[in-house]
Amino acid sequence: MCRTTLLACLAGLAVLALPSTRAHARDDDYAAMLGYLTSSHLDGHVLQGAEGSITVNLAAGDLNSQANLRAFATGPDAQAWIDARQRTAGNQANAPLDAQATIAGQVLAGAHGLVSINQVSGSANTQLNAVAAALASQGIRETTDGSLSAAVSASAEMQPGTEPDAPGEGTRSVSVAAGAMQGFRGVLQLNQTAGSGNATGNILSLSVSDLPR
């Protein structure tokens, strides 16, 4: 073999090796595409500068239960309460290999008001945001732990039958980007979940007096 052709032969071997490596990468990408993946995103300028009462339920996956509940009352003896119960049975689903829940961009930047968000990626999760507020003329009343739980109560049963496609593998991630919610003023409730079989809740109970006349 001529020495001048050695580099050409080596180059030829390198070229022959590249398709094999790329084919392997493509096989891995294809296998990942066939996996059960869930992803929920709030991005861009969604709700930027919004005002007032805002509720969002965003879910990717199976068998997820979400609720945003509000109760308001006014009067001499005003009382407000919420009782939420979520239950399912006999359902079957696989847990996703990869689950992501993300809030990015300028979501809710400069907004103000009462905002309740449930965001989930996965299977068999339960999320609840509840607000109970009473404007009573008898003045501010002390709220004990017992009366607080009575004013807003919630229960959720874990839903059986969720198994991951590949136990011990995959990723679960939640995130809120730095630019999101900048300058927000008011009350913000956020349940953000990635995974399976989780139960989360935000509960707010208020009792205040009438404003002076």
Side-chain angles (χ1 to χ4, degrees):
M1 180 180 293
C2 179
R3 292 182 179 179
T4 57
T5 62
L6 181 57
L7 291 178
C9 292
L10 291 175
L13 290 174
V15 171
L16 290 174
L18 287 175
S20 176
T21 302
R22 291 174 178 171
H24 180 68
R26 285 197 298 267
D27 290 342
D28 290 343
D29 293 342
Y30 184 67
M33 290 173 61
L34 294 179
Y36 182 19
L37 314 177
T38 58
S39 179
S40 65
H41 291 276
L42 284 173
D43 205 343
H45 298 280
V46 173
L47 299 176
Q48 182 178 7
E51 302 178 4
S53 178
I54 302 166
T55 62
V56 177
N57 287 321
L58 183 64
D62 298 295
L63 308 179
N64 295 298
S65 299
Q66 298 173 308
N68 289 310
L69 306 177
R70 278 89 180 272
F72 300 96
T74 182
D77 299 301
Q79 293 183 347
W81 66 88
I82 295 172
D83 185 8
R85 302 178 187 274
Q86 299 171 319
R87 180 180 180 182
T88 62
N91 294 313
Q92 298 290 326
N94 289 329
L97 180 63
D98 293 306
Q100 296 180 347
T102 303
I103 297 178
Q106 303 298 313
V107 173
L108 282 172
H112 61 272
L114 174 57
V115 177
S116 301
I117 299 176
N118 289 315
Q119 184 185 28
V120 65
S121 179
S123 299
N125 298 287
T126 297
Q127 296 178 314
L128 170 67
N129 289 312
V131 176
L135 181 64
S137 60
Q138 68 265 39
I140 298 176
R141 296 165 293 172
E142 181 180 357
T143 302
T144 63
D145 291 340
S147 61
L148 179 63
S149 62
V152 183
S153 62
S155 64
E157 292 188 5
M158 180 176 176
Q159 303 184 42
T162 55
E163 297 294 337
D165 287 338
E169 299 180 5
T171 60
R172 313 285 186 269
S173 65
V174 298
S175 63
V176 178
M181 304 180 186
Q182 283 190 348
F184 174 82
R185 294 180 291 115
V187 176
L188 173 63
Q189 296 177 307
L190 173 61
N191 287 314
Q192 195 177 39
T193 303
S196 299
N198 300 288
T200 59
N202 292 303
I203 296 173
L204 175 63
S205 179
L206 296 175
S207 180
V208 299
S209 65
D210 284 335
L211 295 176
R213 300 181 184 275

